[in-house]
């Protein structure tokens, strides 16, 4: 008796858990991949297609009917068809009235049409409830199960109930729905898959241009100049010596460029006496890509560390060391340890190691998995206070290492300054202005402005 009872209970639970039939229009790549995933998650799937012949590519257990027949079997219809074919839906308007239509389409170009595909679908079928979803998930990821990178599904729509129904399906497929609001957000969601690292464009172009500039600058001074005036062929410098000069210079400049927009913002706010006016566009864009600039700087710093560590293996370095030993042996004289040089070399190494450690710490805390676990104050402490400390240490590392060239006339080949002198211009400027900004007479009004105080309030009572 008891056993029967539990069987009945299990049956009734199963019945209530039974998923509603979902209809998919289109048996193309995406329609098939989504249908397959839905069947795996327990949804009965019915396809609406121009041809009702079942091919072996269609997930088994799925039915294939005409569009009109299939639409009548479900409350939710996923339109897995390109936008340019949407006209075929107009004759089905009556059957589709009140149904939830999920637009999953993408375009080939950014802002290809005046309105989003989902809004266009809603205009074609005003009696249906259109929801945008799934367009950022690829058919390949759905089929192969490699959804880790694209687990988020952006959902938007004007009908809250319809949106909720679609979000429930998204969850049932093991994905994470992210409500983006009304159908107006569809344009933005449709643009996502077409964007190629939008935040990385400026940092990458800047890094390439500066790297190329410094590389050719070093090539001219260290290889071409030496060849012309000293008749030494140092062309092999191109492989390690020059890159290992360019990498630290790039790391330092890019790190300084992470903090420079903050300095500009502070000066602008002080000048305007308010924080309620927008920054110029270029500054806004620059601020938004600080993380990317910092990560590229970290990549350059890491390359500098690796290139420095392999230095003792280089034939040129081994030759120079043995030349020094042999000349001491020939002269029968051991050079005494130069205490000043020992101090300088130990100091710049120590400063470099500490600077790199903080650099890595900044990189780690910028990872979403880490930054999500610290509060805003902790994040600011690491990114601002420790960031500035990293900049100070790295600037000091370069100053101590390259300082000897500042006053030596031989450093000014073709009257051009050494690359280390150039690399210090922006970091030193950032540190000097930051130092001025933390003076209480400047910091106090700036803090007040950032807390909402205005010098000439527009909306005074
Ligand atoms: P597809 O392989 O070319 O399939 C499109 C399907 O649309 C066809 O199989 C066909 O299904 C139907 N169709 C074609 N012409 C039609 C017409 N004149 N009238 C009615 N139905 C027609 O394309 P897909 O890759 O599956 O992409 C479908 C949609 O999903 C597109 O809007 C795309 O932007 C979007 N999407 C695709 C992916 C992806 O990874 N592939 C990812 C996200 C979003 P029947 O033969 O069954 O009628």
């Amino acid at each position: 008796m008891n056993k029967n009872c539990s069987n009945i209970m299990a049956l009734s639970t199963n019945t209530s858990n039974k998923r509603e039939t979902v209809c998919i229009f289109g048996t193309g790549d995406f329609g098939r991949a989504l249908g397959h995933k839905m069947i795996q998650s327990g949804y009965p799937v019915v396809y609406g297609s121009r041809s009702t012949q079942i091919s072996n590519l269609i997930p088994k257990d799925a039915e294939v009917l005409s569009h009109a027949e299939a639409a009548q079997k479900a409350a939710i219809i996923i339109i897995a068809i390109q936008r340019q074919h949407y006209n075929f839906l107009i004759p089905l308007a009556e059957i589709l009235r009140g149904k939830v239509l999920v637009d999953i389409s993408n375009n080939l170009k950014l802002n290809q049409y005046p309105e989003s595909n989902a809004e266009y679908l809603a205009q074609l079928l005003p009696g249906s409830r259109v929801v945008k979803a799934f367009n950022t998930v690829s058919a390949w990821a759905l089929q192969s199960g490699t959804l880790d990178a694209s687990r988020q599904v952006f959902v938007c729509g004007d009908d809250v109930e319809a949106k909720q129904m679609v979000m429930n399906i998204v969850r049932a497929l093991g994905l994470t729905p992210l409500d983006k609001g009304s159908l107006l957000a569809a344009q933005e969601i449709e643009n996502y898959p077409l964007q190629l690292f939008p935040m990385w464009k400026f940092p990458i172009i800047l890094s390439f241009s500066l790297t190329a500039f410094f590389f050719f600058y070093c090539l001219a001074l260290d290889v071409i100049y030496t060849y012309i005036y000293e008749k030494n062929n140092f062309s092999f410098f191109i492989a390690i010596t020059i890159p290992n000069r360019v990498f630290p210079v790039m790391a330092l400049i890019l790190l300084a460029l992470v903090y420079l927009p903050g300095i500009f913002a502070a000066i602008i706010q002080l000048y305007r006496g308010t924080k309620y006016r927008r920054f110029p566009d270029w500054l806004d864009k620059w601020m938004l890509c600080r993380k990317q600039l910092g990560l590229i700087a970290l990549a350059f710093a890491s390359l500098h560390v690796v290139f420095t560590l392999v230095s003792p293996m280089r034939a040129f370095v081994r030759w120079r060391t043995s030349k020094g030993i042999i000349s001491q042996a020939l002269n029968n004289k051991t050079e005494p340890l130069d205490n000043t040089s020992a101090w300088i070399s130990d100091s710049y190494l120590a400063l470099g190691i500490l600077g790199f450690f903080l650099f890595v710490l900044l990189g780690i805390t910028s990872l979403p998995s880490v930054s999500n676990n610290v509060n805003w104050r902790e994040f600011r402490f690491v990114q601002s206070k420790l960031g500035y400390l990293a900049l100070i240490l790295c600037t000091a590392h370069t100053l101590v290492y390259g300082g000897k060239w500042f006053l030596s006339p031989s450093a000014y080949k073709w009257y051009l300054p050494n690359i280390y002198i150039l690399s210090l211009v922006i970091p030193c400027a950032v540190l000097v202005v930051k130092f001025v900004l933390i003076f209480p007479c400047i910091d106090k009004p700036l803090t007040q402005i950032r807390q909402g105080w205005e010098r000439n309030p527009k909306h005074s009572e």
Side-chain angles (χ1 to χ4, degrees):
M1 171 73 186
N2 267 351
K3 203 177 163 199
N4 272 351
C5 239
S6 65
N7 274 350
I8 291 165
M9 284 208 10
L11 196 67
S12 64
T13 324
N14 264 349
T15 320
S16 64
N17 276 348
K18 195 171 178 302
R19 311 244 193 229
E20 280 202 32
T21 301
V22 174
C23 168
I24 301 177
F25 276 5
T27 55
D29 294 338
F30 197 79
R32 290 197 310 270
L34 191 63
H36 182 72
K37 187 88 186 154
M38 285 191 161
I39 290 172
Q40 274 182 346
S41 310
Y43 284 96
V45 170
V46 53
Y47 282 99
S49 173
R50 292 167 303 171
S51 151
T52 50
Q53 270 185 343
I54 299 212
S55 88
N56 54 3
L57 290 173
I58 308 263
K60 68 178 172 52
D61 299 335
E63 255 186 296
V64 184
L65 303 171
S66 69
H67 292 115
E69 286 170 322
Q72 275 157 351
K73 292 207 164 199
I76 298 184
I77 297 155
I78 293 168
I79 315 290
I81 291 168
Q82 279 89 356
R83 168 189 168 130
Q84 61 268 32
H85 305 310
Y86 280 2
N87 275 341
F88 87 96
L89 293 165
I90 297 173
L92 302 172
E94 265 320 301
I95 300 171
L96 299 176
R97 184 170 293 281
K99 307 245 176 196
V100 177
L101 302 188
V102 186
D103 182 293
I104 52 125
S105 62
N106 284 317
N107 293 321
L108 296 175
K109 280 192 293 194
L110 279 173
N111 302 319
Q112 192 173 348
Y113 299 102
E115 73 290 277
S116 67
N117 298 348
E119 287 168 302
Y120 173 64
L121 183 62
Q123 282 164 22
L124 284 182
L125 302 164
S128 306
R129 302 185 283 166
V130 175
V131 174
K132 180 90 206 175
F134 289 115
N135 68 309
T136 51
V137 182
S138 80
W140 177 81
L142 276 172
Q143 211 149 23
S144 60
T146 47
L147 277 162
D148 286 344
S150 51
R151 212 160 261 283
Q152 251 175 8
V153 174
F154 300 105
V155 183
C156 74
D158 293 336
D159 187 308
V160 177
E161 194 199 356
K163 203 159 54 173
Q164 208 52 52
M165 286 162 77
V166 176
M167 297 208 326
N168 288 342
I169 295 184
V170 173
R171 279 190 210 98
L173 300 188
L175 303 169
T176 315
L178 199 87
D179 189 348
K180 295 289 277 182
S182 76
L183 215 53
L184 285 176
Q187 185 102 47
E188 190 189 327
I189 299 180
E190 283 171 16
N191 283 342
Y192 285 151
L194 297 170
Q195 287 169 345
L196 188 69
F197 302 120
M199 287 297 156
W200 286 88
K201 216 167 164 182
F202 168 69
I204 287 178
I205 293 176
L206 181 78
S207 311
F208 264 117
S209 325
L210 281 177
T211 307
F213 168 76
F214 284 123
F215 181 85
F216 288 112
Y217 193 85
C218 287
L219 188 73
L221 298 193
D222 297 330
V223 177
I224 301 175
Y225 181 94
T226 326
Y227 186 74
I228 296 174
Y229 293 102
E230 295 164 17
K231 299 283 173 254
N232 280 326
N233 180 2
F234 285 153
S235 54
F236 62 89
F237 273 15
I238 289 172
I240 289 196
T241 305
I242 294 182
N244 204 23
R245 271 180 202 167
V246 175
F247 294 153
V249 164
M250 285 302 299
L252 184 60
I253 292 180
L254 291 181
L255 183 62
L257 289 180
V258 170
Y259 292 98
L260 188 56
I263 300 269
F264 282 140
I267 294 172
I268 290 175
Q269 285 178 333
L270 276 171
Y271 174 75
R272 291 175 173 171
T274 176
K275 70 166 185 176
Y276 296 115
R277 272 172 62 195
R278 279 201 54 196
F279 291 127
D281 269 359
W282 58 268
L283 188 55
D284 261 345
K285 284 188 188 140
W286 189 353
M287 299 247 239
L288 285 175
C289 62
R290 283 181 293 179
K291 175 176 159 178
Q292 287 73 9
L293 282 170
L295 288 175
I296 298 179
L298 174 59
F300 277 117
S302 310
L303 282 170
H304 171 50
V305 170
V306 176
F307 272 56
T308 305
L309 289 177
V310 299
S311 251
M313 291 181 215
R314 298 176 59 203
F316 175 65
V317 175
R318 280 187 277 128
W319 169 81
R320 214 172 43 184
T321 313
S322 48
K323 191 177 147 212
I325 296 168
I326 291 166
S327 85
Q328 286 187 47
L330 288 176
N331 295 334
N332 201 14
K333 191 173 120 206
T334 310
E335 303 243 331
L337 174 69
D338 179 352
N339 234 294
T340 317
S341 311
W343 259 109
I344 290 177
S345 85
D346 281 10
S347 306
Y348 79 71
L349 285 174
L351 288 164
I353 293 166
L354 291 173
F356 183 65
F357 169 75
L358 288 181
F359 227 133
V360 173
L361 197 69
L362 292 177
I364 292 173
T365 45
S366 73
L367 296 173
S369 53
V370 179
S371 58
N372 287 346
N373 284 310
V374 293
N375 66 29
W376 176 238
R377 203 161 168 216
E378 291 162 344
F379 183 77
R380 279 212 17 111
F381 172 77
V382 175
Q383 293 296 326
S384 177
K385 303 275 185 313
L386 294 188
Y388 266 106
L389 186 58
L391 184 60
I392 292 172
L393 289 172
C394 295
T395 308
H397 167 70
T398 315
L399 256 173
V400 176
Y401 179 74
K404 57 181 181 264
W405 282 298
F406 289 5
L407 299 174
S408 148
S410 66
Y412 293 85
K413 297 170 182 168
W414 281 323
Y415 303 104
L416 292 171
N418 190 282
I419 186 173
Y420 296 109
I421 302 177
L422 288 185
S423 74
L424 285 164
V425 175
I426 300 177
C428 287
V430 169
L431 291 175
V432 169
V433 181
K434 179 69 185 173
F435 182 67
V436 174
L437 286 175
I438 56 174
F439 269 48
C441 59
I442 298 180
D443 183 51
K444 213 171 144 204
L446 185 60
T447 311
Q448 281 177 334
I449 289 170
R450 287 182 173 165
Q451 284 169 352
W453 174 83
E454 289 185 278
R455 197 182 302 131
N456 301 312
K458 249 195 203 155
H459 309 286
S460 51
E461 286 160 26

